[in-house]
Every structure is written in C-alpha cells, then in structure tokens.
Amino acid sequence: MNALPNMTPAPGKRPSQRVEHGGDLSAIRARFPDAPEPWIDLSTGINPVPYPMPMLSAEAWTRLPTPAQEEALIAAAARRYGVPDPATIVAAPGTQALIQTLPRLLPPSRVAILGPTYEEHEVCWRRQGHEVSTVTDPDQAANAEVAVVVNPDNPRGRLLAPDELPSPSKLLVVDEAFIDLLAPACSLAGALPPRTVVLRSFGKTYGLAGLRLGFAIAGHELAEKLRGEFGPWAVSGPALEIGRAALDDDAWLSATAERLTVDRQRLDEILIEAGFVILGGTPLFCLARHPEAPAMVERLGRRGIHVRSFRQQPTWLRFGLPGSGDAFERLGACFND
C-alpha cells in the first residue's frame, strides 16, 4: 500500500478546523433521545415563518438558468438593497460560498476580523494562508490590509455606523447578513466605499436558508473576479425565481418586520422572567447571559428545544425566535416547571 502524502499544512495555514453552527437537530436529538417531538429549533437566526413559496415554472427544474432570469434576480436585489448599479451585484449559492471565495482572490495579507463573530470568516482566511488576528475594537484594525466586520454582529447584534468601520489598505469585507430589517441607512450597499465588498444573505430574513442564495456588492473589478470564480449557472433556477419574487414583495417584508418586532419583545420578556440578562441581538435572535447556561441547555434539550451555546463564552446562549404561539408557550413552560 502506498504511503499517504505529507499532509502538513503550508506555512501560514492551519489544519482544517470544525466550526460549530446552529441548526443541527440530528446531533441534539441523539443527545436527548427522549425529548418530545416536534423539536423547536431556536439555535439559528433564521426567520421561523418563511416566505410563502410561489408556484415555479417547470423550466425552473428542467432547464439551465438563463441570463435573463439572473438579470431579473439582480434587478430585484438592486432595488431591495438600494444599489444604483446592478453590475456591482454578484449572485451566489449562499453567502457562505462568498466567504470561502474572497480569501482566494487576494495575495497573503494581514487580516483583522472584528470579533468574536461568525467563525467561518477566520477559518476561510486562515485556510488560504493569510495572517489573521481577531480584534475587539475597530481601531485595532488600523494597520490591517484586510478587515472583516459582521454588521450587525452575530451573536451580539452590535451595529457600527458607516463612519465607525475600519479603512484597510486592500479590502473591507462587511457581512450584512442580519441588516435587512434595519433602516436602509445602516447598510453600505447603496453607497459602496472604495475597496469594499458587502455581503447580503437571502435565506435568513426570508426563512429559506435551504435555498442557498446570497449576494456580494463590490466594485466592478472585484465583482468580475467573483463571477469568474463561480462560473455560469451558479444559482439554481428555483432560487432565481423564488429570490426574485421575494425581493420584489414589499408588503411581505413590511408585515414580517412588524411581526418580528413583537415576537422579539415577547422572547425578551420570557428570558428576563427566567433570570437571563439580555446582552443584545437583532430582530431575528437574542443573545442572553445566565450563570447556569449549561444547565439551561440541558433543561431545554430535555423538553425538545434547541438553543445555541458557545464554548468560549459558557454563560451565553443565543435564542432564535419561536415561530408560533405554541412554540412560545413551550419555551415559557420550560422555565416555569
């Protein structure tokens, strides 16, 4: 048998590391096999009441996507995000695909990530040989060549104003995955500064994470490089049709924003009554602290409710929004028995 090749990582790279994410119900079911069904998954920041699926044409499934379909999606995204030039928008099969692709487009650089935040950013930049540091204040990124900011932040919900963002020498990456339900002025998408790329997620606000659709807004040169990396037909026909319909639906988004405001307040009240301290969040999730957070995870898990915990912050728990009155009642009952 031939020996395996040398798998030592190249200089500047770390071995692949597993990042913990929310949404893995298979693992939590195995941990609590006697928990009641159906499980309530509060471990993600995904809208639990998704956009109603429109009727799809047969061609969406049977034919390759056409340039006209992609152009229609891009036009809808430009209007929704306030982007004046549709040519600066790149559609991709999810924001995660963009996060993995961007580090391949730059030579090895000094990268500062404002954190703690979504860990895939750090993993993907390190994997491509970049020198990565995590900083807690935007001023600490002053000497970076690349800066990465999740705005509003996940999991804390910290929101930086445009003039508070760092100005690196090569590229500023602003991940606006949770900005859809905030004021348009909070986003950089409509007035993109030089050397900046903005990432926008579709699946979180519209509750269709499995569709795998995301966007980058970037200068023309970087946008062309990203399109070249993904090649033709990067976004599926169903995603093109559903994405266009949803992004054009002003009434649904307005009603959703109102509902989520009420539901987030209700969630905060339940947690405060249970002894949690609210640390922050967005319209789609709440970050809370409890001195007995691991015990709370056990209590909730035995009752079929999954929440997001953090190894590096053992007193933190992140709660997504319950999707129904019954789900809210089940959550509240966990803390009252």
Side-chain angles (χ1 to χ4, degrees):
M1 180 181 296
N2 294 331
L4 292 172
N6 186 348
M7 300 301 289
T8 302
K13 295 190 178 183
R14 290 184 177 183
S16 295
Q17 59 189 89
R18 183 179 181 273
V19 176
E20 290 186 358
H21 297 289
D24 187 357
L25 280 181
S26 59
I28 200 70
R29 277 194 174 103
R31 182 175 170 187
F32 298 101
D34 298 324
E37 296 279 353
W39 274 82
I40 298 174
D41 187 3
L42 306 183
S43 68
T44 74
I46 298 168
N47 185 351
V49 183
Y51 184 78
M53 296 284 284
M55 291 293 293
L56 298 181
S57 66
E59 288 78 9
W61 301 100
T62 61
R63 298 181 63 87
L64 288 172
T66 67
Q69 289 175 306
E70 183 172 5
E71 289 167 8
L73 172 69
I74 294 295
R79 191 181 71 84
R80 170 60 54 215
Y81 302 144
V83 177
D85 184 0
T88 62
I89 301 180
V90 180
T95 307
Q96 178 64 33
L98 292 160
I99 291 171
Q100 293 178 199
T101 300
L102 281 169
R104 300 203 299 262
L105 303 184
L106 275 73
S109 306
R110 297 189 308 277
V111 179
I113 297 176
L114 188 62
T117 193
Y118 183 58
E119 293 180 38
E120 290 285 353
H121 286 288
E122 178 181 354
V123 169
C124 292
W125 285 95
R126 285 194 187 279
R127 185 182 295 132
Q128 298 304 319
H130 299 274
E131 180 185 328
V132 181
S133 60
T134 299
V135 300
T136 58
D137 188 282
D139 292 339
Q140 296 173 316
N143 296 322
E145 295 172 297
V146 176
V148 179
V149 180
V150 180
N151 202 42
D153 186 49
N154 173 19
R156 295 166 300 174
R158 175 174 64 175
L159 179 68
L160 298 180
D163 60 1
E164 295 177 305
L165 294 167
S167 300
S169 58
K170 289 183 179 179
L171 185 66
L172 171 63
V173 181
V174 184
D175 183 345
E176 295 183 346
F178 291 99
I179 213 166
D180 285 358
L181 300 163
L182 304 183
C186 297
S187 172
L188 291 182
L192 195 71
R195 303 186 305 280
T196 300
V197 57
V198 169
L199 307 180
R200 296 294 289 256
S201 170
F202 174 82
K204 294 179 176 63
T205 296
Y206 291 89
L208 297 172
L211 195 69
R212 308 312 303 134
L213 179 62
F215 301 92
I217 299 103
H220 287 90
E221 182 179 354
L222 180 55
E224 281 300 313
K225 287 182 179 179
L226 284 168
R227 289 191 193 95
E229 286 293 310
F230 287 107
W233 317 301
V235 178
S236 71
L240 292 173
E241 289 195 15
I242 295 169
R244 181 203 56 74
L247 291 168
D248 275 340
D249 195 335
D250 296 343
W252 182 88
L253 188 61
S254 176
T256 294
E258 292 179 8
R259 176 183 58 78
L260 290 172
T261 298
V262 173
D263 286 354
R264 172 62 203 276
Q265 182 177 354
R266 184 176 180 181
L267 175 62
D268 286 5
E269 290 171 355
I270 290 173
L271 296 178
I272 290 170
E273 186 176 348
F276 287 86
V277 175
I278 307 301
L279 300 179
T282 73
L284 286 171
F285 63 81
C286 171
L287 180 70
R289 182 178 66 229
H290 196 285
E292 299 178 0
M296 286 294 180
V297 172
E298 293 288 324
R299 173 192 286 256
L300 292 164
R302 289 195 300 270
R303 292 161 177 80
I305 298 177
H306 183 25
V307 298
R308 179 74 162 89
S309 59
F310 300 88
R311 285 178 300 180
Q312 295 178 338
Q313 298 288 346
T315 64
W316 287 10
L317 294 179
R318 191 189 67 193
F319 291 79
L321 295 178
S324 67
D326 288 346
F328 270 107
E329 290 176 8
R330 276 183 63 185
L331 176 64
C334 287
F335 301 124
N336 294 325
D337 57 13

